[in-house]
Amino acid sequence: MITLEGVTKTYRMGRIEVPALQGIDLHVGRGEFVAIMGASGSGKSTLMNILGCLDVPTTGRYILDDTDVAMLGDDQLARIRNKKIGFVFQSYNLIPRTTALHNVEMPLIYAGEGGRTARAREALGAVGLADRVNHQPTELSGGQQQRAAIARALVTNPAILLADEPTGNLDTSSSLEIMRLLSRLNAEQSRTIVLITHELDIARFASRVVELRDGRIVRDDTNAK
Amino acid sequence: MNLYEALRMAANGLLGNRTRSALTMLGILIGVSAVILLVAVGNGASVQINNQVQSLGANVIYVYPSNARGSGGVSQGFGTGQSLTQADVDALNSKQQDPDVLAAIPIAQSGGQITYGNQNYFAPTTGTTPDFPQVRNYQLAEGSFFSADDVTARHRVVVLGQTVVDNLFGTTDPIGQTIKISRQSFRVIGVFAQKGGTGLGSQDNVVVAPITAVWAYLTGARGKVISQIVASASSAGTVTQAETEITTILLERHQISDPAQADFQLQSQQDILNQATSISTALTLVLGAIAGISLVVGGIGIMNIMLVTVTERTREIGIRKAIGARRRDILMQFLIEAMVLSGLGGALGIAVGALLALEAPKISALATSGFPTPVVSPTSVVLAFCVSVAIGLFFGIYPANRAARLHPIEALRYE
Ligand SMILES: Nc1ncnc2c1ncn2[C@@H]1O[C@H](COP(=O)(O)OP(=O)(O)O)[C@@H](O)[C@H]1O
Ligand SMILES: [Mg+2]
């Protein structure tokens, strides 16, 4: 499903080169729930951006569903993000002044697909927001906004769900609620989930934990359930 | 992404900041309404000039003396020579060689102080023949015009224009009264109906007398000078033939073989109309261009606001890109936003401009000053709308392109 081979990413800031990833080999199979851990600055977000096709590796190969992503241009990457990847961000990132329903419809609009409203309603129903479809982000709690974001990530039925510290802005009970939702999606719908977190409590929900340090994988454990 | 979704997104974006959208639209609104109004005024002026030229008379051709032969090609302008004679006029009226000339009249001009009782007034006196009202398209309001006998007998009778009557007589009935022109007595036998118009010198500020009387009592030492001949063609379609016939007759009578050496010049009403039209078209263009500048300023306002919007919504752009928006989706979104702003501003501007144009004549100060009644042309409406949408496109493309080129990660990180 996901294969990274010798992926490096080097940021260039003027004359200085910052190596954010220094040779990552990683395989994530269908239906896995992987937590990526590591200290701040270890390269988690950089890895996530590459997995999410928001950025391309400096060297190495990234194969997503048999496609070598390193070779693609901007618009092709946009297409892959639209069809195969669902993002959940720490700060929810719903579009302001736009109802939950319209937010969830958005990926379908860019995909040019039909039956949008019904599918968006269905996705919102699946995250327990059936009665909040016409609310704007400011009219929703943090937990509800994150659930709407998860609905938006899932509405296109993507191959992989990428979550960068999805509970980072939430209180404990909302965090648990979100993690239970992700676990359920993984268990019931075999959703492939890659989750970034620096909290052990959160990582425990995953079936596999990958730890990064200075841009390298230093641990790759399967969680005993 | 279809047009409906694109418009919905644009509406959403614009409604998100109503005050700003409204103010930006106001810039275009003012520009467009100025264009509509000023072009309407220009058109109105065209119509006014057109009417005035029409009122000079039906299918009129003017023949002026010119000095081409005498002064080696250096023209001294209209009316300076003395090449036209009463015999020329008679020849033009004979109708044998010029079936398309309905009538021709000689004109002798004389300036002079006009007095009635203790009232003084200055107006040019025109000496002519009885066909004058027909050729120059004058109606009589009172009394009658002078006859061929009056001309033969050099009777000192005059017919007055309304302006002259107003200035000399006030409420007194002028018919039968005696006025003095350059201290010579003339009896008023008729008054012309008002022709209106102010642009080309009032048609109502006239004093008309038999040409023989003008020669005998007013032009004095200058003798029997004819400053112009006015002929009228039988119809609008025969003006060109009539001109050819007049030229042929006069060249033959003046024994000139080379038309380039002619000692007279022709000018038809159509020539004057063409000149007037080109002047008023230029006027309309200048007015439109001035208003167009304010439209450009409005466009720059749109560009400015769109740049601010793009910066403010950087994060939103990042989100949209993350969930699959391609460059052209983002480009379209902001372009359509700019075009909706300018198009809506343009539509409202057309409404306001047209309303002002319709209401302007109701302002009495304007109405009495001879200000032209604005004419809103459908072309200017369609054009103004298209131009305002195009302005949105033109000034929106840079900000929209900026948005489309944002890198998703950097955009997402933007606070
Ligand atoms: N756009 C960038 N330009 C330069 N350096 C960057 C950029 N993004 C990340 N980095 C650097 O790359 C390293 C890894 O960063 P990041 O992937 O954000 O780590 P994490 O998410 O684990 O905190 C850090 O040293 C960071 O400073
Ligand atoms: Mg990070």
Side-chain angles (χ1 to χ4, degrees), chain A residues 13 29 80 86 111 118 220:
Chain A
M13 305 181 70
I80 299 236
D220 190 342

Side-chain angles (χ1 to χ4, degrees), chain A residues 1 25 28 40-41 64 110-111 120-121 124 164 171 176 179 193 199-200 204 225:
Chain A
M1 158 122 302
D25 295 301
V28 178
S40 179
L64 171 65
Y110 289 125
R121 277 179 193 281
L124 280 164
D164 192 349
D171 59 39
L176 283 176
M179 289 317 297
I193 300 177
E199 290 175 67
L200 272 174
R204 250 194 281 281
K225 276 269 163 168

